[in-house]
Amino acid sequence: MELNALNEKELASLYREEMEYDFPQSELKPLGAMLRLLELGQYEPLVATENGETVGYAMVWLSKDRKGVLLDYLGVLRGKRNGGTGGKILALLLERYGHVFGEAEAPTSDDEEENQLRRRRIGFYQRNGFRVLDYECALFGVHFKCLYCGPETDDRVVEKLHRRVYADYFSPAHMQQYIQLPLSPGEDIHPAPAWTEEHNPTEYERKVIS
């Protein structure tokens, strides 16, 4: 298996053909936001191929200093699931970047069935070498457990690197309002839309469509 980077048009095609089906709208940032990050050199959309066939994808968000990446989205194509493909992609990401941060919704829903699904997601990452960190975060009003895979053992160092991914893109005011990283014990989560952009993501999507 190998990872290959996508250009803007390829990212737009993957977004519409796969990601819009794989993720609920509330969890999927606008395509234009991804395209802007890509234009800034802070995003790498990757597809995983095996024997010349695309089997999955990973969207990674980079800090400017390239000291680790945030795994923004991970997906395995329909018909290719339950065969260990996701774990193989994670291993390639670690080999490629060294430090990989992850976020998984905390099992704090009023729906116990939903909580079980969230625990399974966290368990998937743990089975593939990630550890749950000693801090949590809330992003645009959603509560997350924070995960990490890599050589660093100090959670304070990981927290600083993790936060930098967002701080390199959003303004301090935006960070204060929408990015609670870390989320202090007992701290109220700020209500917010699923994704709030300081720029107009539609402008970047229009560039690809036109």
Side-chain angles (χ1 to χ4, degrees):
M1 185 183 290
E2 62 181 13
L3 298 176
N4 298 291
L6 300 177
N7 61 31
E8 291 179 334
K9 291 188 180 298
E10 291 168 335
L11 169 57
S13 177
L14 179 72
Y15 186 96
R16 296 183 178 116
E17 294 175 8
E18 300 293 338
M19 298 184 71
E20 287 186 336
Y21 292 93
D22 292 342
F23 296 94
Q25 191 64 37
S26 61
E27 295 180 15
L28 194 59
K29 66 165 55 67
L31 171 60
M34 294 181 181
L35 292 169
R36 182 171 190 274
L37 281 162
L38 179 59
E39 184 175 79
L40 292 171
Q42 292 175 245
Y43 211 68
E44 286 194 354
L46 303 165
V47 291
T49 58
E50 199 163 35
N51 300 320
E53 183 181 10
T54 299
V55 295
Y57 58 87
M59 304 288 123
V60 296
W61 191 343
L62 298 83
S63 60
K64 289 181 179 178
D65 62 11
R66 298 300 191 268
K67 291 183 179 179
V69 299
L70 172 63
L71 177 56
D72 208 17
Y73 298 97
L74 174 70
V76 176
L77 269 58
R78 286 158 282 175
K80 308 292 182 183
R81 294 169 183 166
N82 302 316
T85 299
K88 292 177 183 178
I89 295 173
L90 289 177
L92 289 175
L93 291 174
L94 183 61
E95 181 181 329
R96 185 183 183 101
Y97 299 110
H99 302 271
V100 182
F101 319 116
E103 299 156 353
E105 278 195 78
T108 54
S109 171
D110 294 332
D111 184 343
E112 185 53 33
E113 186 174 343
E114 174 63 25
N115 285 332
Q116 290 178 5
L117 176 61
R118 294 179 186 184
R119 292 188 191 101
R120 286 198 296 272
R121 288 174 182 161
I122 294 169
F124 162 76
Y125 286 105
Q126 290 178 303
R127 290 192 302 274
N128 285 281
F130 282 72
R131 61 185 175 87
V132 178
L133 298 164
D134 68 2
Y135 67 91
E136 299 178 1
C137 67
L139 310 169
F140 299 101
V142 181
H143 184 189
F144 292 94
K145 292 284 189 179
C146 297
L147 308 159
Y148 170 75
C149 189
E152 183 55 61
T153 59
D154 187 339
D155 285 11
R156 297 288 71 72
V157 174
V158 176
E159 178 189 317
K160 183 178 179 181
L161 295 173
H162 185 180
R163 180 179 173 82
R164 188 176 297 160
V165 173
Y166 291 104
D168 282 348
Y169 181 67
F170 292 120
S171 70
H174 210 75
M175 289 288 294
Q176 183 175 5
Q177 185 171 2
Y178 297 116
I179 311 296
Q180 295 170 266
L181 197 169
L183 180 69
S184 301
E187 181 181 358
D188 290 336
I189 294 175
H190 301 167
W195 177 264
T196 303
E197 180 65 272
E198 292 175 288
H199 306 272
N200 182 4
T202 306
E203 295 177 4
Y204 295 87
E205 187 170 351
R206 193 178 294 122
K207 290 180 184 178
V208 176
I209 297 172
S210 61

